[in-house]
Amino acid sequence: MQNPVIILGAQELGILALDAFQSNDVVVYCFLDDQVALQQKEVNDITVMGNTEDENFLKLLGKKCDVFVAAEDTAARKSLTKMLKDEYKVVPVNAIHKFSYVSEHAWLGHGNSVQAGAVINSNAKVGDSCVIGPRAVIDANAVLEDHVQLGAGAMVNAGVTIAEGAFIGTGAVVVSGVKIGKNARVGAGAVVVADVAAKQTVFGNPAKPV
């Protein structure tokens, strides 16, 4: 059985991670969050016991507890993950909802949020600290680098490559073979039929730069 989990972040992503762990009967020990207004309060019956630098709880990591990083901001997730590796020699576990599907032939890194109804098909590769929204689909041989976020119902077709830090909006479709550049953004409902450059934002059907 998996160790109890401490979730760093008690807002939306943290709540979804809690749901994923509880769907698999994994105990969540507590939340830690830097918002003072949340501390010592309960979020879905789990207490926010301190901030994300509280050594009283972080010293449990790797021994009695696992950890999941649920900071809303990508930069904050990167920073917290680096701190955990450097100072505590631990990496975040994946939060994979019971009602998602991950092929046994897919490859996942660490610290990913795979939400209810999401599908990761055979030979797909997902890096570290990605957020796969509810009912999002990653088809065969697609590659997501680290810190990619897919909105609810997004469709990443076969052979697509999405570079680090890119954001794919709710209901967007990325057609087979397309490459999405680093830190690019694809708007909700867009249909992407051509490569998207790094840091570019595209919207529409077919998707065009804005």
Side-chain angles (χ1 to χ4, degrees):
M1 180 179 247
Q2 185 173 324
N3 289 331
V5 178
I6 295 173
I7 299 176
L8 307 189
Q11 299 175 62
E12 180 179 329
L13 189 55
I15 291 168
L16 290 168
L18 171 64
D19 187 50
F21 288 123
Q22 290 182 335
S23 77
N24 290 289
D25 297 322
V26 174
V27 173
V28 172
Y29 184 79
C30 69
F31 287 110
L32 300 177
D33 196 285
D34 293 335
Q35 284 202 24
V36 175
L38 290 174
Q39 291 168 15
Q40 307 309 316
K41 295 184 178 179
E42 288 190 352
V43 176
N44 290 10
D45 299 324
I46 302 297
T47 303
V48 183
M49 290 189 173
N51 64 43
T52 59
E53 297 180 353
D54 194 326
E55 293 187 2
N56 290 322
F57 299 101
L58 296 180
K59 68 184 181 182
L60 301 174
L61 301 179
K63 302 170 184 176
K64 298 181 179 179
C65 290
D66 291 322
V67 65
F68 181 81
V69 177
E72 300 295 318
D73 178 70
T74 299
R77 288 203 303 276
K78 287 182 180 181
S79 177
L80 285 170
T81 300
K82 184 176 187 301
M83 178 272 290
L84 292 169
K85 290 179 179 178
D86 292 348
E87 298 183 23
Y88 295 93
K89 312 304 179 189
V90 296
V91 294
V93 296
N94 290 316
I96 301 175
H97 199 283
K98 178 180 179 179
F99 295 116
S100 64
Y101 169 77
V102 180
S103 169
E104 63 180 11
H105 299 294
W107 186 91
L108 272 69
H110 301 285
N112 296 296
S113 172
V114 182
Q115 296 165 16
V119 173
I120 303 176
N121 277 329
S122 183
N123 295 333
K125 182 177 180 181
V126 177
D128 295 337
S129 192
C130 293
V131 178
I132 314 302
R135 303 179 311 284
V137 175
I138 304 170
D139 212 348
N141 296 313
V143 175
L144 274 61
E145 297 182 0
D146 298 344
H147 308 291
V148 169
Q149 184 167 341
L150 303 184
M155 177 69 194
V156 175
N157 280 287
V160 166
T161 299
I162 302 179
E164 179 180 347
F167 173 86
I168 312 297
T170 298
V173 176
V174 184
V175 303
S176 296
V178 163
K179 293 179 173 58
I180 306 292
K182 185 175 180 179
N183 295 324
R185 297 181 67 83
V186 173
V191 178
V192 184
V193 298
D195 292 354
V196 177
K199 298 184 180 179
Q200 193 170 61
T201 298
V202 299
F203 282 93
N205 180 9
K208 295 181 180 179
V210 295

